[in-house]
Amino acid sequence: MVNWLVIGIGDITRKRVIPAILAEPRSQLYGVVTRDPRKAEAYLGTQVWTSLDDALQDAGIHAVYVASPVALHAPHTTASLRAGKHVLCEKPVGMDYPEARDMVAAARECRRLMGVSYYRRLYPKLMRARQLMLEGAIGQPVLAEANCHGWLDITNRGWLVVPAMSGGGPLYDTGSHRIDVCNFLFGRPLKATGMRSNAVHRLAVEDCATVMIEYAEGVRGVVDVRWNSHVARDQFRVIGTEGELKLDPLNGPVLRHPGGEEQLPAHANLHYPAVENFVNAILDGAPLACPGEEAIWTDWVTATVK
């Protein structure tokens, strides 16, 4: 049994992370850290702390889910690792690449697991797409295109538009997920460049960003993310010399490829497979779906976007 401490009771933890822990058969919601203990009243029998330092003194905690704003990922993750806990951290890893790299180094030094919740890696259709590419279904992959567009919505997450807390706008929020999908499919990025700007909203963070990434064997990825379009888009496709993989919408079940069309829906709770995978890694030594060592390459890419 893995006893979990969850840092932060916000939108994601209430809707996905805590329900995933409660549903996972070898997990227990042991405690939460929140500035407002009233938010924890729904979780009967769960210990509540307002101080992470105090919580980490409890030897009964095995794993920590870090769901605080991005600016707190590094201090919260590092403190948890040094207290002997395994850590599953929300994305992106840190505020910048050096900070993310230091978090991975701390995990290695403490001999504890550090994973990152890039849960799309566990989408059945994304794993199938990678398999099809390896089998040569589209020939040599040459281009991946990802678009995630929508209108700015910071309901219950006002910190997203404060750069000192979030690091950036859609580049860090939805863009990091798409960049990690490209890294999952094509490996470590070799080069990256990009631009971010404020085309519509006058914010302290960008309202749009476009990234171009180069991978081995000539593959390029283009990721465009926006908070300035009323036309919602969630597009992803991989073009090869002999065909293409269409995953539109990325969060939907459909995968189209030269051999036909497959329906491969994700779990009803998108965070559940990530929590399950982390528990399996702790208890059974299973490989992490997204270890920190791989996740930090998204931070490396975002650092190049000006």
Side-chain angles (χ1 to χ4, degrees):
M1 183 67 68
V2 174
N3 291 336
W4 286 88
L5 173 71
V6 174
I7 302 176
I9 303 181
D11 201 45
I12 291 296
T13 50
R14 284 197 307 268
K15 292 179 179 178
R16 295 185 188 171
V17 177
I18 291 177
I21 291 171
L22 294 174
E24 208 287 321
R26 297 197 290 177
S27 291
Q28 177 179 319
L29 181 62
Y30 187 88
V32 296
V33 175
T34 175
R35 291 177 298 178
D36 184 358
R38 291 173 299 178
K39 292 182 177 181
E41 291 175 355
Y43 310 110
L44 298 177
T46 300
Q47 299 194 58
V48 182
W49 290 275
T50 56
S51 164
L52 176 59
D53 289 340
D54 291 342
L56 292 176
Q57 294 179 31
D58 193 319
I61 297 167
H62 306 136
V64 177
Y65 195 102
V66 176
S68 43
V70 181
L72 298 175
H73 284 187
H76 286 175
T77 294
T78 302
S80 299
L81 292 168
R82 298 202 186 285
K85 321 300 183 184
H86 303 291
V87 175
L88 182 56
C89 184
E90 265 298 328
K91 57 75 192 172
V93 182
M95 291 286 279
D96 52 40
Y97 177 64
E99 185 173 86
R101 189 178 52 199
D102 288 345
M103 293 162 68
V104 169
R108 188 181 303 116
E109 177 187 336
C110 297
R111 297 184 181 180
R112 290 296 180 267
L113 294 177
M114 178 191 157
V116 180
S117 281
Y118 281 123
Y119 53 79
R120 285 173 178 80
R121 289 181 174 223
L122 290 163
Y123 279 10
K125 78 173 188 180
L126 197 61
M127 292 188 286
R128 173 64 172 150
R130 187 162 78 162
Q131 177 190 10
L132 287 167
M133 282 197 312
L134 292 173
E135 292 174 353
I138 60 171
Q140 178 183 340
V142 293
L143 177 65
E145 296 178 326
N147 296 319
C148 184
H149 299 169
W151 194 253
L152 177 65
D153 180 8
I154 56 172
T155 305
N156 299 321
R157 295 199 300 165
W159 59 267
L160 280 177
V161 296
V162 180
M165 294 300 289
S166 65
L171 175 66
Y172 275 56
D173 185 31
T174 55
S176 62
H177 273 295
R178 274 80 191 166
I179 295 167
D180 182 72
V181 167
C182 290
N183 294 348
F184 174 68
L185 293 176
F186 306 117
R188 182 177 295 187
L190 303 178
K191 297 179 183 178
T193 188
M195 295 179 290
R196 45 180 166 174
S197 61
N198 292 86
V200 176
H201 302 294
R202 296 297 172 255
L203 303 168
V205 297
E206 80 282 353
D207 72 357
C208 58
T210 308
V211 184
M212 185 168 71
I213 313 162
E214 183 175 330
Y215 296 93
E217 299 182 3
V219 182
R220 284 182 182 163
V222 179
V223 177
D224 187 87
V225 288
R226 295 178 179 272
W227 284 346
N228 58 24
S229 175
H230 284 294
V231 180
R233 296 180 179 85
D234 183 25
Q235 301 166 313
F236 196 96
R237 66 173 178 164
V238 180
I239 297 171
T241 55
E242 306 298 331
E244 66 180 310
L245 302 173
K246 297 180 181 179
L247 289 82
D248 302 347
L250 181 58
N251 285 332
V254 182
L255 171 62
R256 298 177 181 89
H257 54 84
E261 180 178 300
E262 300 181 39
Q263 295 284 332
L264 299 165
H267 194 281
N269 181 342
L270 300 181
H271 275 70
Y272 180 88
V275 169
E276 179 184 51
N277 168 257
F278 200 73
V279 170
N280 290 340
I282 293 173
L283 298 180
D284 304 328
L288 286 175
C290 187
E293 292 88 346
E294 295 182 15
I296 63 174
W297 289 101
T298 290
D299 297 70
W300 182 84
V301 169
T302 58
T304 70
V305 183
K306 305 303 181 184

